[in-house]
Amino acid sequence: MGIDSKITSKGQTTIPAEVRKALGIEPGDLVSFEIHDGKVTMVKKQSVLDLAGILHDPDRKSLSIEEMKLAWPQAALERDARSRERD
């Protein structure tokens, strides 16, 4: 069973509460629409603030610039190997 919403004469609609809750949409959030094969998908757009802190790992040792330069080639090889495993 689908969730219905009526389109107004101005082409507007209300996003049903069940959909807003499922996507975590709140007033002021942005959404994006994608059209594929006659179907529309709506997704909540991420803001920069949603990404705040995702790279922080308090257990990770800090590296100097020189240590990063030395570690980069190995990290690139590992990333490429993981990518090949997924394909």
Side-chain angles (χ1 to χ4, degrees):
M1 181 172 109
I3 300 170
D4 298 328
S5 182
K6 187 175 183 177
I7 304 294
T8 69
S9 61
K10 293 184 179 182
Q12 299 172 338
T13 189
T14 299
I15 301 170
E18 301 98 308
V19 174
R20 294 192 312 268
K21 183 177 179 183
L23 296 178
I25 296 173
E26 297 179 1
D29 286 343
L30 295 175
V31 294
S32 177
F33 298 93
E34 299 173 7
I35 303 171
H36 298 283
D37 299 324
K39 295 183 181 184
V40 177
T41 302
M42 183 181 75
V43 295
K44 178 183 175 182
K45 292 196 75 165
Q46 295 283 334
S47 78
V48 173
L49 294 177
D50 292 332
L51 304 176
I54 67 167
L55 297 178
H56 177 68
D57 182 353
D59 297 328
R60 181 177 288 170
K61 176 189 165 209
S62 297
L63 299 176
S64 68
I65 297 296
E66 288 305 314
E67 290 171 316
M68 287 182 206
K69 288 179 182 177
L70 293 172
W72 182 84
Q74 181 61 37
L77 290 172
E78 291 171 3
R79 183 188 66 237
D80 289 345
R82 285 192 305 272
S83 177
R84 282 191 295 276
E85 288 174 1
R86 284 183 289 212
D87 294 341

